Amino acid sequence: MVAATFARSQLMHSLTVLTLESAAAPVRLTWLLLTITFTCTDMGCIQSIACNKSRIKRENIVVYDLSATIDHCPTVIEENSPIVLRYKTPYFKASARIVMPPIPRNETWVVGWIQACTQMEFYNTYGDIGMSSWELPQLREGLVRAISDSDGVSYPWYGNTTETVTIVGPTSKPSRFIVSMNDNFYPSVTWAVPISESNTPLLTNIKRDQSFTTWLVALNTTSREKILLHTIKWRMRVDIAVDPSLPLGSRARLVGRVHQDQPRVLTRMEPIPSNAMGRPNANDAQVLMWRPRRGPPLVVIPPK
């Protein structure tokens, strides 16, 4: 078994050494054989049960230059359209440099970012008539703790460009790479009541408060083993006052905070809720409601 794993020149040398040692000291022979077997197993030379078991552990994965920030700039309001107001928040950005140890054969690992929405309030008020609201019913009713914020294609990952790196084994050397992601809000809100046929601007306030948890994860795609590397918490808040009687281009202004709180990198790992690993994502699960001051609420846009 040992001889079959060595090149011809190495084999002849090994056999000579073994013969000389065995004639002089049988105990030494036993030690030498054990050493060779151990070395070969460690190098992946001998196919064994130990080789098939993953040797990737959290302590073997190095994460450095971890960064999680929100741009230090205010939300930008756009009043270019007579139909909708748009606003663009600063970007949440996360990045990390990773060193993965050599990967055993027949294993594929993906390292990257997984994100879930954990809380959302998103209200657009139209004077004393009522308000529209984007809602996540399961989250609002406490049925789940988080909803996937994947791009809707790359579950469970936030995306599949800069957000993830795939390593296909076997690899003989450590793999070094960077994974990064960014996120922000850039929605449109109608000036007029969304269920009305009128285009009369009646929007008076926009208030949004949304929280996320973002995980840096190494995932074995064969065994589905997850290794959590870091957990980040962040929050985005927007408060815009609107005077619909003013000319287009001068109706809206930011009120309250101008800059966002910076993200928190937790000192402990927070587990990923199972429902945050798959469908539906937040974009598909959300519903637009109209909640009048008087009368029952109405679904304007149902979940997908």
Side-chain angles (χ1 to χ4, degrees), residues 99-111:
V99 180
M100 282 288 285
I103 305 296
R105 65 186 64 191
N106 300 326
E107 286 192 359
T108 298
W109 285 79
V110 180
V111 181

Side-chain angles (χ1 to χ4, degrees), residues 174-196:
S175 302
R176 293 172 170 82
F177 52 86
I178 299 173
V179 286
S180 63
M181 63 164 287
N182 61 70
D183 191 12
N184 80 326
F185 306 151
Y186 193 20
S188 300
V189 181
T190 59
W191 294 110
V193 174
I195 62 168
S196 171

Side-chain angles (χ1 to χ4, degrees), residues 17-37:
V17 173
L18 289 173
T19 301
L20 290 173
E21 294 287 354
S22 62
V27 176
R28 177 62 175 171
L29 170 62
T30 303
W31 181 88
L32 184 58
L33 284 172
L34 288 173
T35 303
I36 295 175
T37 303

Side-chain angles (χ1 to χ4, degrees), residues 139-214:
L139 198 60
R140 182 194 63 210
E141 296 166 11
L143 300 177
V144 298
R145 293 188 295 117
I147 292 182
S148 169
D149 198 32
S150 167
D151 60 4
V153 177
S154 311
Y155 291 100
W157 307 104
Y158 181 74
N160 64 356
T161 53
T162 64
E163 297 85 1
T164 59
V165 168
T166 300
I167 309 164
V168 180
T171 59
S172 59
K173 297 180 180 179
S175 302
R176 293 172 170 82
F177 52 86
I178 299 173
V179 286
S180 63
M181 63 164 287
N182 61 70
D183 191 12
N184 80 326
F185 306 151
Y186 193 20
S188 300
V189 181
T190 59
W191 294 110
V193 174
I195 62 168
S196 171
E197 295 182 358
S198 169
N199 289 327
T200 303
L202 296 172
L203 179 68
T204 54
N205 184 259
I206 298 171
K207 191 178 291 291
R208 186 168 184 174
D209 185 350
Q210 201 161 347
S211 299
F212 300 87
T213 304
T214 307

Side-chain angles (χ1 to χ4, degrees), residues 42-256:
D42 187 58
M43 294 173 61
C45 297
I46 298 176
Q47 185 66 28
S48 67
I49 295 174
C51 284
N52 289 331
K53 184 178 179 180
S54 172
R55 292 172 293 175
I56 305 299
K57 304 297 181 185
R58 173 61 186 93
E59 56 268 24
N60 302 134
I61 303 174
V62 179
V63 181
Y64 63 104
D65 288 350
L66 176 70
S67 172
T69 62
I70 294 178
D71 289 343
H72 192 70
C73 61
T75 293
V76 176
I77 301 171
E78 299 179 2
E79 293 187 39
N80 303 319
S81 166
I83 307 300
V84 296
L85 173 152
R86 302 195 74 187
Y87 64 86
K88 187 174 185 178
T89 67
Y91 279 93
F92 162 75
K93 298 175 182 177
S95 67
R97 294 177 181 271
I98 313 290
V99 180
M100 282 288 285
I103 305 296
R105 65 186 64 191
N106 300 326
E107 286 192 359
T108 298
W109 285 79
V110 180
V111 181
W113 299 101
I114 295 174
Q115 181 164 281
C117 176
T118 56
Q119 174 263 341
M120 183 171 80
E121 297 177 0
F122 187 178
Y123 305 118
N124 308 310
T125 303
Y126 295 83
D128 59 359
I129 300 172
M131 69 177 184
S132 65
S133 63
W134 284 102
E135 302 173 9
L136 294 167
Q138 288 184 311
L139 198 60
R140 182 194 63 210
E141 296 166 11
L143 300 177
V144 298
R145 293 188 295 117
I147 292 182
S148 169
D149 198 32
S150 167
D151 60 4
V153 177
S154 311
Y155 291 100
W157 307 104
Y158 181 74
N160 64 356
T161 53
T162 64
E163 297 85 1
T164 59
V165 168
T166 300
I167 309 164
V168 180
T171 59
S172 59
K173 297 180 180 179
S175 302
R176 293 172 170 82
F177 52 86
I178 299 173
V179 286
S180 63
M181 63 164 287
N182 61 70
D183 191 12
N184 80 326
F185 306 151
Y186 193 20
S188 300
V189 181
T190 59
W191 294 110
V193 174
I195 62 168
S196 171
E197 295 182 358
S198 169
N199 289 327
T200 303
L202 296 172
L203 179 68
T204 54
N205 184 259
I206 298 171
K207 191 178 291 291
R208 186 168 184 174
D209 185 350
Q210 201 161 347
S211 299
F212 300 87
T213 304
T214 307
W215 293 270
L216 181 60
V217 181
L219 175 67
N220 185 320
T221 62
T222 304
S223 67
R224 307 308 295 175
E225 174 191 1
K226 293 193 302 291
I227 299 177
L228 303 185
L229 304 174
H230 280 288
T231 305
I232 299 168
K233 298 276 192 181
W234 64 282
R235 182 180 184 183
M236 192 77 76
R237 286 177 278 187
V238 178
D239 196 351
I240 299 173
V242 182
D243 185 344
S245 66
L246 294 176
L248 182 67
S250 58
R251 295 173 181 167
R253 59 186 176 86
L254 284 178
V255 293

